Amino acid sequence: MTMTRESAAFGRPYLTADLPGIGGTIKESCDDFLVEEIPSYLPCGSGDHAYLVVEKRGITTLEAIHRIARHLNVAERTIGYAGMKDAAGVTRQTLSIEHIKPEAVAGVELDGLKIVSACRHTNKLKLGHLKGNRFRIVIRGIATHAHEVVPAALKILEQRGVPNYFGYQRYGSQGNSHLIGAAMIRRDWQGATDRLMGEPEAVRDEQWQAGIEAYQQGDLARALEQFPRHCRSEREVLQRLISRPDGFERAFAAIHPRLKKLYLSAFQSWLFDRVVKHRIEDIDAILPGDLAWKHVNGACFLVEDADLEAERAVNLEISASGPMFGCKMKQPAGKPLEIEQQILDNEHIGPADFDMEGGLRMEGERRPLRIPLEKPSFRIEADRLELEFCLVKGSYATSLIREITKTF
């Protein structure tokens, strides 16, 4: 089977391009995609915060937070979380709430989620307070050559690392979150609003399509009438536009700050993926001027002599890092800097543009271009593949799966 080197949807090259894909489909049911957080620490049993282990099915982390906050009559901002999880599959993750008795919430079941356990701890859970995630993923309808391809692909990914792409799930259900963020960075509030409303062909619901078409035709009242109730942000923006049709900045301000941050980080992610794409052929190499990432602790250092660091790169102790662009991000030197600067130039933006007001300032950080694959195992039965593996925090299982299936 001959496979293209590029993923058709997002133009992301495969590291395992010389191997054929096995095809198949994932997420046919929630139980085919299980994710469990690996925490940085366990709750100590005392303190003012309740750590809730929540199992959710088919809803996002933010939606789970919304439902729990409504049930407990607390503000959403008071609920802490270590990582964001999308709606697909079954996920177990920890949330924290202050001044709630654990015994009052353990066992609570709401639509799409249940609180499995609760225990006290001394501090609020914050983004990044986890080691990684453990996955169990079922892929159905795979090709007969999977017996040869799967172990060969896993061997390459164990040796060279998994390309640390964000991928499609970072860009929202319509695949346009990064476009909203890009318009925000350019302070183009009409463009941000247009992107928020989306395109009719990107959704399946006919009423939703009608709402988008009405917005594009300037019929704001009909758009508000047609947009589904679950499109809360779009509806709130439309309500403001109806009273002031030219007030796009004021209307866009109705969006929850958490969502605004998501749009901006989606744009950062899209830019980062461009760097991974550019360096995929030598993703396990270190260049002079790289800011090398130490996998043991996440620290970075400037590479002056690449030959001296080559063995550490081969052993996956260090990796080249890429940019999550921001107004204070540390920059590399030499060729790596040229690559990153060209990507910004192509978007006609600079680091200072990320210095946004209203609590939206994006300072930026470094991120490894590849990540270690830990504890991989697989089982094939007929046309069904079951994969289990662990990845560090901030990385995506789809970055591994696509290398094996070649379907996205």
Side-chain angles (χ1 to χ4, degrees):
M1 181 185 297
T2 302
M3 301 301 300
T4 61
R5 193 165 186 84
E6 299 276 326
S7 163
F10 288 94
R12 294 172 290 137
Y14 299 111
L15 184 62
T16 58
D18 292 335
L19 294 174
I22 67 169
T25 58
I26 60 174
K27 303 180 183 178
E28 286 192 358
S29 74
C30 277
D31 293 320
D32 282 353
F33 199 97
L34 274 63
V35 188
E36 183 178 3
E37 284 187 345
I38 305 171
S40 294
Y41 51 85
L42 297 176
C44 63
S46 62
D48 293 332
H49 298 263
Y51 273 34
L52 317 179
V53 176
V54 177
E55 182 176 287
K56 64 181 189 61
R57 303 172 68 91
I59 60 174
T60 66
T61 296
L62 291 183
E63 182 59 30
I65 289 172
H66 173 73
R67 295 180 187 184
I68 291 172
R70 184 174 56 189
H71 176 77
L72 297 177
N73 194 28
V74 299
E76 292 182 30
R77 66 178 181 276
T78 66
I79 300 180
Y81 57 96
M84 294 288 291
K85 303 291 184 294
D86 62 20
V90 179
T91 63
R92 279 198 175 194
Q93 66 180 121
T94 303
L95 306 177
S96 72
I97 309 180
E98 193 173 11
H99 303 312
I100 292 290
K101 294 180 179 180
E103 57 271 22
V105 293
V108 167
E109 295 192 25
L110 304 173
D111 183 26
L113 66 90
K114 63 180 178 180
I115 299 174
V116 177
S117 63
C119 186
R120 292 187 182 277
H121 195 59
T122 54
N123 61 270
K124 181 178 181 180
L125 195 63
K126 294 186 178 180
L127 196 62
H129 284 194
L130 74 162
K131 290 181 179 178
N133 295 286
R134 185 179 296 108
F135 298 89
R136 186 187 70 79
I137 296 168
V138 174
I139 305 173
R140 302 179 185 274
I142 61 175
T144 56
H145 57 249
H147 290 276
E148 294 79 33
V149 171
V150 174
L154 290 177
K155 182 178 180 180
I156 291 171
L157 296 170
E158 275 195 281
Q159 290 178 341
R160 302 190 65 188
V162 179
N164 202 13
Y165 288 119
F166 283 96
Y168 70 89
Q169 71 276 14
R170 187 69 167 182
Y171 307 124
S173 60
Q174 295 191 50
N176 65 347
S177 293
H178 63 299
L179 300 177
I180 301 171
M184 291 173 65
I185 288 292
R186 297 186 181 100
R187 280 64 169 180
D188 175 10
W189 302 112
Q190 180 172 352
T193 303
D194 291 347
R195 295 297 192 182
L196 173 70
M197 298 301 166
E199 296 294 336
E201 60 269 20
V203 299
R204 294 182 180 180
D205 183 271
E206 292 184 0
Q207 182 179 341
W208 194 349
Q209 291 175 348
I212 296 172
E213 290 170 353
Y215 169 79
Q216 293 178 344
Q217 294 163 6
D219 191 341
L220 301 179
R222 187 164 68 89
L224 180 60
E225 180 182 322
Q226 294 292 332
F227 260 93
R229 293 293 175 185
H230 67 81
C231 297
R232 290 195 296 269
S233 295
E234 292 91 335
R235 293 177 61 83
E236 288 172 0
V237 169
L238 284 168
Q239 287 172 341
R240 291 195 177 192
L241 282 177
I242 287 172
S243 63
R244 186 178 166 186
D246 61 343
F248 288 101
E249 183 173 1
R250 172 182 173 275
F252 196 84
I255 296 174
H256 195 288
R258 272 183 177 166
L259 278 178
K260 291 179 185 176
K261 280 281 193 179
L262 280 178
Y263 299 143
L264 291 171
S265 65
F267 182 50
Q268 286 179 312
S269 303
W270 186 84
L271 296 172
F272 176 86
D273 278 0
R274 306 279 71 74
V275 177
V276 178
K277 173 182 176 179
H278 191 94
R279 298 189 60 174
I280 191 72
E281 297 287 351
D282 301 304
I283 201 166
D284 46 355
I286 293 289
L287 299 177
D290 261 325
L291 286 168
W293 179 278
K294 295 181 181 179
H295 287 288
V296 68
N297 59 10
C300 286
F301 67 94
L302 182 67
V303 174
E304 296 180 354
D305 189 333
D307 291 336
L308 286 177
E309 307 298 344
E311 184 176 355
R312 296 173 70 191
V314 169
N315 294 332
L316 259 168
E317 296 176 26
I318 62 172
S319 296
S321 71
M324 293 295 286
F325 285 112
C327 58
K328 294 185 68 176
M329 186 200 73
K330 186 176 182 180
Q331 293 186 327
K335 183 64 175 178
L337 177 59
E338 291 178 16
I339 293 169
E340 296 178 16
Q341 186 60 52
Q342 185 60 55
I343 286 170
L344 280 185
D345 290 345
N346 291 344
E347 297 298 316
H348 306 290
I349 58 174
D353 293 314
F354 291 87
D355 189 8
M356 300 193 71
E357 298 178 350
L360 298 178
R361 187 180 195 225
M362 308 297 282
E363 294 190 352
E365 60 185 356
R366 305 299 296 183
R367 172 183 168 91
L369 298 183
R370 60 171 184 164
I371 49 168
L373 173 60
E374 300 176 4
K375 301 178 181 179
S377 65
F378 71 95
R379 183 169 69 247
I380 297 175
E381 296 178 354
D383 67 345
R384 176 184 183 276
L385 167 66
E386 182 177 309
L387 280 171
E388 292 192 23
F389 55 92
C390 297
L391 296 176
V392 296
K393 66 182 180 182
S395 54
Y396 291 87
T398 48
S399 295
L400 181 147
I401 295 169
R402 67 185 297 274
E403 295 282 349
I404 295 173
T405 65
K406 303 292 197 302
T407 54
F408 58 96

